[in-house]
Amino acid sequence: PWNRILPVGDSSSNQSPLSFGGFGAMVRHLPRLHRGIHEALLYDALSQAALAQLHPYQPNLSVTWLFQRTMSVGVDQSLDPDAINRLMNAVFLAMEQLGDPVLKPFLQDVVQFGALSQTLSQMSVTYPNIVTRLIPQVGLPPLMDWMRHYLSLGVYSAACPAVKALQPLFHQLPPLGRYYGDRLIDALSYGSGADYRGHEAP
Ligand SMILES: Cc1cc2nc3c(=O)[nH]c(=O)nc-3n(C[C@H](O)[C@H](O)[C@H](O)COP(=O)(O)OP(=O)(O)OC[C@H]3O[C@@H](n4cnc5c(N)ncnc54)[C@H](O)[C@@H]3O)c2cc1C
């Protein structure tokens, strides 16, 4: 939020430290931050606007609030005591049935459009009752707001390879343009979960 100052880790509010493992998230983002900080120093891109590119909007993070919301009960709400356990069982069973490409990224804190869409579809077909009970629990306006992030996740996933292909063009721009181009690629890649490399041999 200021020129020449970049919060990292918990202080950056990049990710909820408790809901999805703040340390794990920070480690996952280290290559992006390392690259970005290196270029920011190299190109003297240290204004508030330039450094804000290192904390981009990530739709795959924004969609996760729904998971937290479905596992919480408002003070004025009453819920079947087994409802949350049933939901967790259903979600993990659906992901297990869909296999490692769906389950593993999620367990490693990476939400991807394809895996999320498959899980939601599988759950709607296998457990329609659980899904319909969630709508009054979460509320329609928040669900519509969530849809916005879900659709952005789809757009980010589709745009990522196309914009990555433009990287050689970005590298012909003046330094600041190069910096913003690379940050756009990072934002699309991390914001769509395209940075995930868990399936590759270490
Ligand atoms: C109960 C709990 C369980 C967690 N479990 C997990 C987990 O299972 N997996 C996971 O990935 N993450 C987990 N986290 C989150 C993880 O601990 C944090 O995301 C991580 O420690 C953040 O590291 P950090 O360096 O950004 O901040 P911190 O570790 O908070 O370090 C900040 C440091 O700055 C110091 N400091 C503060 N103010 C000043 C000042 N004015 N001057 C000098 N020093 C200052 C503090 O004393 C502290 O040492 C958990 C957190 C909690 C609380």
Side-chain angles (χ1 to χ4, degrees), residues 180-192:
Y180 275 88
D182 284 345
R183 298 297 72 74
L184 175 64
I185 291 173
D186 277 347
L188 292 170
S189 173
Y190 279 77
S192 66

Side-chain angles (χ1 to χ4, degrees), residues 8-11 16-18 20-26:
V8 289
D10 280 8
S11 66
S16 158
L18 289 184
F20 283 91
F23 182 75
M26 186 164 61

Side-chain angles (χ1 to χ4, degrees), residues 144-168:
M144 299 311 289
D145 188 48
W146 178 82
M147 257 339 239
R148 191 165 57 86
H149 299 299
Y150 175 65
L151 293 176
S152 298
L153 179 55
V155 171
Y156 267 53
S157 306
C160 185
V163 176
K164 256 188 186 162
L166 297 176
Q167 196 167 33

